[in-house]
Amino acid sequence: MIGIKDLYSVLTAVVPLYVTMFLAYGSVKWWKVFTPEQCAGINRFVAIFAVPLLSFEFVSRINPYKMDLLFLAADGVSKVLILFALLCWANFTKRGGLDWSITVFSLSTLPNTLVMGIPLLKSMYGDDKEYLMIQVVVLQCIIWYTLLLFLFEYRETRTEVLSKFKESSVSSKNCCSEDEVINVIATTSSNQQQQQQQQTAQNANKIAPDQSQRFRPMVAASMEDGTSTTCEKQSVQAGQREESSSTAKGVESVKQENVENASIPSSFSPSMLLKILRKVWLKLVRNPNSYSSLLGLSWALVSCRWDIKKPQIMENSVTILSSAGLGMAMFSLGLFMALQPRIIACGKKLALYGMVARFIAGPAVMAIASIAVGLKGTTLKLSIVQAALPQGIVPFVFSREYNLHPDVLSTAVIFGMIVSLPITIVYYIVLGI
Amino acid sequence: MIGIKDLYSVLTAVVPLYVTMFLAYGSVKWWKVFTPEQCAGINRFVAIFAVPLLSFEFVSRINPYKMDLLFLAADGVSKVLILFALLCWANFTKRGGLDWSITVFSLSTLPNTLVMGIPLLKSMYGDDKEYLMIQVVVLQCIIWYTLLLFLFEYRETRTEVLSKFKESSVSSKNCCSEDEVINVIATTSSNQQQQQQQQTAQNANKIAPDQSQRFRPMVAASMEDGTSTTCEKQSVQAGQREESSSTAKGVESVKQENVENASIPSSFSPSMLLKILRKVWLKLVRNPNSYSSLLGLSWALVSCRWDIKKPQIMENSVTILSSAGLGMAMFSLGLFMALQPRIIACGKKLALYGMVARFIAGPAVMAIASIAVGLKGTTLKLSIVQAALPQGIVPFVFSREYNLHPDVLSTAVIFGMIVSLPITIVYYIVLGI
């Protein structure tokens, strides 16, 4: 049974996070302390220095030879279960689609373990459980974010292939080879990538919903084509389902002109897969979080193997900025909230779905997976509460970069932070009975 | 005798500060991570949140009923000695002047105790000496920064009175009453103050040397006036001495036109003094550092009197951001360094004088004062090394706000940080023999 004292100690850990967020929110929204560009500076500092150093600091302290394999298995199984279910839904149902699969995967499986999870769950289940959280963080950074990036790149490349194919077949009235299309994409996409990155840097705090329609009309047009094969249909269903409501009228008119374009490259060759992997790799090596987790893990492997300690100078050089990480991350979140025009950017209905995915579906699947692999007692509770944390920031950053439902993810981050405290505490109390 | 181990522990505390500064420097100078405006955002965050919370955190932990009065007396005596010597120099010598007195006072008595002093001196003389440093910080914030502000405001008001007087006497050919001049100044200066603050906020990282000549020609003109009384001469000598070399030629031509203007208000009435004090007060209540020290001291007084502890939630809410203070302050200093066009902005000669004031005159007077009040042993060493810390940031911020030798102070901060490590260590070793 959870007592008042336990609850107080949880609040002691969590309320300061909210106070910091509130300070940041107020200093932009009411007190006009920072301009948007100045906020971008703080956010950049957090993204490039504070949070990577914080995760390095945590990760480098674990013992990779004594991981809690059962706990990690539960985490892995739950994510694979959800991913499998979503891919089935995308491929074998009429209403399913890759776009929403990616978003729902982000929503239901990737909580904010580093910033919210560690202080919150330490206060709930004791300091000695911190290492479990850190292990989840390591896997999240090294495996799941990589997978998420792969899904995003896969989606983008596929959309580009289809649109390029459409373009070239319209202009030349001849079907060019898939390799040619790939070459065109490889050149243009690297330029686009650079441009996009510049934009991302500049608009670091704004969602750009106006860009989100970039590729859709073309894809939709090709999809409505009555002569395309089932295989094609399958691989482009993602866009189709999403477009079906919003651009239905526009599509109707384009449809008439494009009936002559028959065959579209359906699935990807190994060379295409390599190119996608290369792009994912490029994204990863540019992300300071990848470095910090990998460096931290390498250090942990070396130091535990040969029992080496970090020199005090190095340790202090990291902690001087990493100790800023937690507070600054929450501050940055508050700035982000204040810069959004609305708290619920995606509409109430989508926000509700998002909350269900985050706070009910995610923990439920985690509970099933945890019980299935045989977790018991505190570890079982921990794994469920961990799955009910508010939305992680990294999936939101990706969604903004790839323009895939950034409004939904932004709402999940912001609104999720607000509602998560009572929800997590309810989970904590219910599991404590 | 200081051993290698002692030295290593000092380096362990100080090198991380430099690493952080270097990271910030590199990220602006070489890696182009932040734009100047983004840097201003980080600096603003540091100035408004991180450092005030850090000083609150330190100050609120002291016991004001058990201050080391001897140590504080030494600190006070040394500062009063220097101030007295400088004011004598300004008033009774031909080469002396108020402007340079203020700057030399900043340089020789106001080191960076909060950010550099506490970690450095803790590592040298043990954790239990931290409270001495904090006491110095408290007095610096509450007494010495206030005095410094008063000197700056005094100088500015005097300059304005003189220039306004000149203006009105030139335009109306009649000598208006001092009260009228004061009224004009009170209105215009509050506008100017607002404008200046906006400018300061915008150019938070730039020194604006082009503004520094604002009031000088007028003052110089009135001072070269052969008919002015000795009393007048005394009170305006400040500007005169400084101007004598740089604007001598310009003055020569103005001189001829103004021979007719005879009497200038010489010293300040009580109402003028009140106005100055009011302006100082307005500056102080706008400065988060004043709040934080006063709040911290009040809390310390209350909590030590009735043995009350801060509630854990409040404590955590402060530490979550204050723990960012040290690293962020150094980071901010690095950003500042990178944004300056030159490390030595004021020329080599002035830089050398500045270094002598900071690292030789200051500690020497402190040593005399400390021995005079009867300090011995570790406390004596501590008080001398403390006086040899690099230049504090707050005096530089004031000097920029009032445009009084900001280049000299900026050099003292930047170049001082670079040379301070070896110098402080030499002091440490010499005092340890």
Side-chain angles (χ1 to χ4, degrees):
Chain A
M1 190 63 200
I2 308 286
I4 293 292
K5 221 183 140 189
D6 298 315
L7 265 188
Y8 180 72
S9 89
V10 170
L11 289 178
T12 300
V14 187
V15 168
L17 299 174
Y18 283 88
V19 168
T20 312
M21 201 173 74
F22 177 81
L23 260 185
Y25 184 85
S27 63
V28 171
K29 204 83 175 179
W30 307 313
W31 312 314
K32 312 282 177 204
V33 176
F34 303 106
T35 65
E37 176 71 1
Q38 288 178 338
C39 292
I42 297 174
N43 291 338
R44 232 172 135 67
F45 171 80
V46 173
I48 295 177
F49 293 105
V51 168
L53 283 170
L54 181 68
S55 71
F56 173 81
E57 175 61 20
F58 277 131
V59 171
S60 66
R61 273 195 274 134
I62 63 165
N63 185 343
Y65 303 101
K66 284 185 187 166
M67 303 281 261
D68 189 321
L69 294 178
L70 220 54
F71 184 77
L72 294 179
D75 184 58
V77 166
S78 79
K79 287 184 170 66
V80 170
L81 268 182
I82 290 178
L83 191 64
F84 183 75
L86 287 169
L87 290 181
C88 287
W89 174 71
N91 287 316
F92 303 116
T93 67
K94 270 192 130 182
R95 295 180 58 86
L98 182 63
D99 287 20
W100 277 108
S101 298
I102 296 174
T103 301
V104 174
F105 179 72
S106 299
L107 283 173
S108 54
T109 65
L110 297 169
N112 192 345
T113 314
L114 183 67
V115 175
M116 284 292 287
I118 292 176
L120 185 65
L121 294 167
K122 260 169 77 177
S123 72
M124 284 177 172
Y125 298 110
D127 285 356
D128 59 318
K129 293 291 177 290
E130 187 188 83
Y131 76 102
L132 287 175
M133 289 295 96
I134 299 173
Q135 291 173 10
V136 171
V137 170
V138 174
L139 289 199
Q140 236 181 39
C141 286
I142 295 175
I143 298 179
W144 300 110
Y145 289 161
T146 313
L147 178 75
L148 191 63
L149 265 182
F150 179 83
L151 289 174
F152 274 116
E153 280 294 342
Y154 172 77
R155 169 185 162 273
E156 186 152 285
T157 313
R158 205 187 55 177
T159 319
E160 282 175 36
V161 165
L162 291 173
S163 66
K164 287 282 163 196
F165 173 80
K166 191 87 264 166
E167 225 167 43
S168 52
S169 63
V170 166
S171 61
S172 66
K173 300 279 174 192
N174 279 321
C175 187
C176 60
S177 79
E178 192 182 320
D179 271 350
E180 280 172 33
V181 174
I182 290 165
N183 282 334
V184 173
I185 289 165
T187 351
T188 54
S189 72
S190 70
N191 291 337
Q192 274 180 354
Q193 212 174 356
Q194 283 176 356
Q195 286 177 353
Q196 212 174 21
Q197 277 191 344
Q198 284 176 345
Q199 282 178 354
T200 317
Q202 285 166 358
N203 304 322
N205 287 301
K206 296 166 204 151
I207 300 172
D210 45 306
Q211 290 181 8
S212 60
Q213 302 287 331
R214 242 187 332 175
F215 298 117
R216 286 182 196 170
M218 288 221 154
V219 183
S222 66
M223 273 175 311
E224 295 289 320
D225 191 335
T227 52
S228 59
T229 65
T230 17
C231 183
E232 286 153 32
K233 258 196 178 148
Q234 224 177 63
S235 76
V236 290
Q237 250 169 357
Q240 181 179 19
R241 297 303 151 211
E242 206 193 331
E243 291 308 310
S244 55
S245 63
S246 62
T247 55
K249 284 176 195 168
V251 162
E252 282 299 315
S253 58
V254 184
K255 200 175 157 184
Q256 308 301 324
E257 304 166 22
N258 290 305
V259 183
E260 70 271 31
N261 302 307
S263 65
I264 295 164
S266 60
S267 66
F268 291 98
S269 63
S271 76
M272 197 64 220
L273 194 73
L274 264 178
K275 280 204 202 301
I276 293 180
L277 285 177
R278 208 173 140 261
K279 277 169 82 183
V280 171
W281 170 251
L282 283 177
K283 290 262 171 198
L284 284 177
V285 295
R286 283 205 193 118
N287 187 343
N289 284 308
S290 325
Y291 288 108
S292 64
S293 317
L294 274 181
L295 269 179
L297 191 62
S298 316
W299 176 261
L301 283 167
V302 169
S303 70
C304 292
R305 185 83 185 78
W306 289 286
D307 199 27
I308 307 166
K309 286 231 163 94
K310 270 182 246 171
Q312 195 61 39
I313 286 194
M314 181 186 152
E315 176 77 28
N316 288 359
S317 300
V318 172
T319 51
I320 192 175
L321 277 181
S322 75
S323 61
L326 187 61
M328 294 294 288
M330 292 308 295
F331 198 86
S332 164
L333 204 56
L335 295 179
F336 169 70
M337 280 172 75
L339 290 171
Q340 298 306 313
R342 281 173 301 164
I343 298 278
I344 301 178
C346 62
K348 281 182 192 156
K349 202 176 149 196
L350 277 183
L352 185 72
Y353 286 154
M355 294 300 113
V356 168
R358 176 90 294 273
F359 294 113
I360 297 177
V365 178
M366 182 62 102
I368 295 168
S370 301
I371 293 166
V373 301
L375 282 192
K376 282 188 196 97
T378 312
T379 322
L380 174 63
K381 293 176 193 169
L382 189 80
S383 88
I384 297 171
V385 175
Q386 187 260 126
L389 290 169
Q391 182 60 36
I393 317 277
V394 176
F396 160 69
V397 173
F398 289 166
S399 80
R400 193 174 51 187
E401 221 170 306
Y402 290 96
N403 255 312
L404 181 66
H405 310 136
D407 48 347
V408 177
L409 266 295
S410 136
T411 307
V413 170
I414 296 176
F415 190 60
M417 275 303 293
I418 299 170
V419 299
S420 84
L421 187 56
I423 290 179
T424 319
I425 288 175
V426 166
Y427 266 103
Y428 176 53
I429 293 173
V430 169
L431 290 169
I433 291 168
Chain B
M1 189 64 199
I2 308 286
I4 294 292
K5 220 184 140 189
D6 298 314
L7 266 188
Y8 179 72
S9 88
V10 171
L11 289 178
T12 300
V14 186
V15 169
L17 299 174
Y18 284 88
V19 169
T20 311
M21 203 173 72
F22 177 82
L23 258 186
Y25 185 85
S27 62
V28 170
K29 204 83 178 178
W30 306 313
W31 312 315
K32 312 282 176 203
V33 176
F34 303 106
T35 66
E37 177 70 2
Q38 288 178 335
C39 293
I42 297 174
N43 292 338
R44 233 173 134 65
F45 171 80
V46 173
I48 295 178
F49 293 104
V51 168
L53 283 170
L54 181 68
S55 70
F56 173 80
E57 175 60 19
F58 277 131
V59 172
S60 65
R61 271 195 277 136
I62 63 165
N63 185 342
Y65 303 100
K66 284 185 187 167
M67 304 280 262
D68 189 322
L69 294 177
L70 221 53
F71 184 78
L72 293 179
D75 184 58
V77 167
S78 79
K79 287 185 170 66
V80 170
L81 269 182
I82 290 179
L83 192 63
F84 182 74
L86 286 170
L87 290 181
C88 286
W89 173 73
N91 287 316
F92 303 117
T93 69
K94 269 193 128 181
R95 295 179 59 85
L98 182 62
D99 287 20
W100 277 108
S101 298
I102 295 174
T103 301
V104 174
F105 179 72
S106 299
L107 283 172
S108 54
T109 65
L110 296 169
N112 192 344
T113 314
L114 182 68
V115 175
M116 284 291 286
I118 292 176
L120 185 65
L121 293 167
K122 259 169 78 177
S123 72
M124 284 177 171
Y125 298 109
D127 286 356
D128 59 321
K129 293 291 177 291
E130 188 189 82
Y131 77 103
L132 288 176
M133 290 296 96
I134 298 173
Q135 291 173 11
V136 171
V137 170
V138 175
L139 289 199
Q140 237 180 39
C141 287
I142 294 175
I143 298 180
W144 302 110
Y145 288 161
T146 313
L147 177 75
L148 191 63
L149 265 181
F150 178 81
L151 290 174
F152 274 116
E153 282 294 341
Y154 172 77
R155 168 187 163 269
E156 186 152 283
T157 313
R158 206 187 55 178
T159 319
E160 282 175 36
V161 165
L162 291 173
S163 66
K164 286 285 163 198
F165 173 80
K166 190 86 262 164
E167 225 168 42
S168 51
S169 64
V170 166
S171 62
S172 67
K173 300 279 175 191
N174 281 319
C175 187
C176 59
S177 77
E178 192 181 320
D179 270 351
E180 280 171 34
V181 174
I182 290 167
N183 282 334
V184 174
I185 289 166
T187 351
T188 53
S189 72
S190 70
N191 291 336
Q192 273 180 355
Q193 213 175 355
Q194 282 178 357
Q195 284 177 355
Q196 212 175 19
Q197 277 191 343
Q198 283 177 346
Q199 280 177 357
T200 318
Q202 283 167 359
N203 305 321
N205 287 300
K206 293 169 207 152
I207 301 172
D210 45 304
Q211 290 181 8
S212 61
Q213 302 287 329
R214 241 185 334 173
F215 298 117
R216 285 182 198 171
M218 289 223 157
V219 183
S222 66
M223 273 173 311
E224 296 290 320
D225 191 336
T227 54
S228 59
T229 66
T230 18
C231 183
E232 285 154 33
K233 256 195 179 150
Q234 225 179 59
S235 77
V236 291
Q237 249 169 356
Q240 182 179 19
R241 297 302 151 211
E242 204 193 332
E243 291 310 310
S244 56
S245 62
S246 62
T247 55
K249 282 175 197 167
V251 164
E252 283 299 314
S253 58
V254 185
K255 201 174 156 184
Q256 308 300 322
E257 303 166 23
N258 291 306
V259 184
E260 70 269 32
N261 302 308
S263 65
I264 293 165
S266 60
S267 65
F268 292 97
S269 63
S271 75
M272 197 66 219
L273 194 75
L274 263 178
K275 280 207 202 300
I276 294 180
L277 286 176
R278 207 174 140 261
K279 277 169 82 183
V280 171
W281 169 252
L282 282 176
K283 289 262 172 198
L284 284 177
V285 294
R286 282 205 194 117
N287 188 341
N289 283 308
S290 324
Y291 289 108
S292 65
S293 318
L294 275 181
L295 269 179
L297 191 62
S298 316
W299 177 259
L301 283 167
V302 170
S303 71
C304 292
R305 187 81 185 78
W306 289 286
D307 198 28
I308 308 165
K309 287 234 162 91
K310 270 181 247 171
Q312 197 61 41
I313 284 193
M314 181 186 150
E315 177 77 29
N316 289 0
S317 300
V318 172
T319 51
I320 191 174
L321 278 181
S322 75
S323 60
L326 187 62
M328 293 294 289
M330 293 308 294
F331 197 86
S332 164
L333 204 56
L335 295 179
F336 169 70
M337 282 172 74
L339 289 172
Q340 298 306 312
R342 282 171 303 162
I343 297 279
I344 301 178
C346 62
K348 280 181 193 160
K349 202 176 149 197
L350 278 183
L352 186 70
Y353 286 155
M355 294 299 112
V356 168
R358 176 90 295 272
F359 295 114
I360 297 177
V365 178
M366 182 61 103
I368 295 167
S370 302
I371 292 165
V373 300
L375 282 192
K376 283 188 194 95
T378 311
T379 322
L380 174 63
K381 293 177 192 169
L382 190 80
S383 89
I384 298 171
V385 175
Q386 187 260 126
L389 290 169
Q391 181 59 38
I393 317 277
V394 176
F396 159 71
V397 173
F398 289 167
S399 80
R400 193 174 51 187
E401 220 171 307
Y402 291 95
N403 255 312
L404 180 66
H405 311 138
D407 49 347
V408 176
L409 266 295
S410 136
T411 308
V413 170
I414 296 176
F415 191 59
M417 276 304 293
I418 298 169
V419 299
S420 83
L421 187 55
I423 290 179
T424 319
I425 287 174
V426 166
Y427 267 102
Y428 176 55
I429 292 172
V430 168
L431 290 169
I433 290 169

